Amino acid sequence: MRFLSIFAVCILVLVGCGSTVYRDTSVTMTTVDTLDTKKYLGKWYEIARFPNRFEEGCVGVTAEYGLRDDGKVSVLNTCFKGTLDGPKEQAEGVATVDSAGKLRVTFVPWLSWIASGDYWVLGLQDYDIAVVGAPKGTTGWILARTPRLSEAEKDWAMNVLSDNGYDLDQLVWPKQRTGE
């Protein structure tokens, strides 16, 4: 029991510390008015992200969302370390819908009360492109149903991030698989 208490405190400290903020948090963050969870399900390719420790060195990143029997959303994140042929790493999580466009995601379900994060859908284009962020500004992503976006699509996504106070100079554009 003592180990679990120490472990829980360590997780709490890690969750709250050492995160860089990539957005001006004085800017009001807006989410999509409606989010059809069933349309959002499926595979998304990570086009761009703000640096974070859990994706350090990751390329070819995808996120797959599925509907669970309990109504929550399953999350399966996949990355390849270093190169597209590098070691494959996966993380399984669970998301719950808080309100339209606002979800909470945890990769440690038994500690979800302290180890979960905001996943806010800031913009959607026909459920083909999604811009996601968090009010604290420590995370943000551009996701798409395909591994590549046109310049116009990239511009749209970056405008959504900018309108929500994000510093676009901090975006990372990892390599992505093609031809899938």
Side-chain angles (χ1 to χ4, degrees), residues 133-165:
K136 291 182 182 177
T138 56
T139 57
W141 294 271
I142 297 173
L143 306 173
R145 297 293 188 176
T146 61
R148 300 276 180 267
L149 292 181
S150 70
E151 287 305 313
E153 291 168 329
K154 285 181 190 176
D155 288 344
W156 172 82
M158 290 190 305
N159 284 333
V160 171
L161 287 169
S162 180
D163 290 348
N164 281 281

Side-chain angles (χ1 to χ4, degrees), residues 37 41 64-77 91-98 102-113 115-119:
T37 307
L41 301 178
E64 293 185 57
Y65 304 103
L67 190 58
R68 294 170 23 135
D69 290 340
D70 62 4
K72 295 180 182 179
V73 176
S74 64
V75 180
L76 177 63
N77 289 344
E92 293 184 40
V94 177
T96 55
V97 178
D98 278 348
K102 297 179 182 179
L103 294 88
R104 300 276 307 157
V105 178
T106 183
F107 289 91
V108 189
W110 57 277
L111 281 178
S112 63
W113 54 280
S116 64
D118 290 311
Y119 180 103

Side-chain angles (χ1 to χ4, degrees), residues 22-23 25 29-32 40 48-50 52 54 65 98 100-105 116-124 130-143 157 160-162 164-166 171:
Y22 300 107
R23 68 177 290 269
T25 56
M29 186 173 257
T30 58
T31 62
V32 295
Y40 199 81
R49 68 173 176 258
F50 290 95
N52 58 66
F54 51 89
Y65 304 103
D98 278 348
K102 297 179 182 179
L103 294 88
R104 300 276 307 157
V105 178
S116 64
D118 290 311
Y119 180 103
W120 288 14
V121 181
L122 310 177
L124 273 173
V131 179
V132 178
K136 291 182 182 177
T138 56
T139 57
W141 294 271
I142 297 173
L143 306 173
V160 171
L161 287 169
S162 180
N164 281 281
Y166 277 93
L171 270 176

Side-chain angles (χ1 to χ4, degrees), residues 14-34:
L14 288 174
V15 167
C17 296
S19 297
T20 302
V21 176
Y22 300 107
R23 68 177 290 269
D24 177 353
T25 56
S26 70
V27 174
T28 301
M29 186 173 257
T30 58
T31 62
V32 295
D33 292 331
T34 59

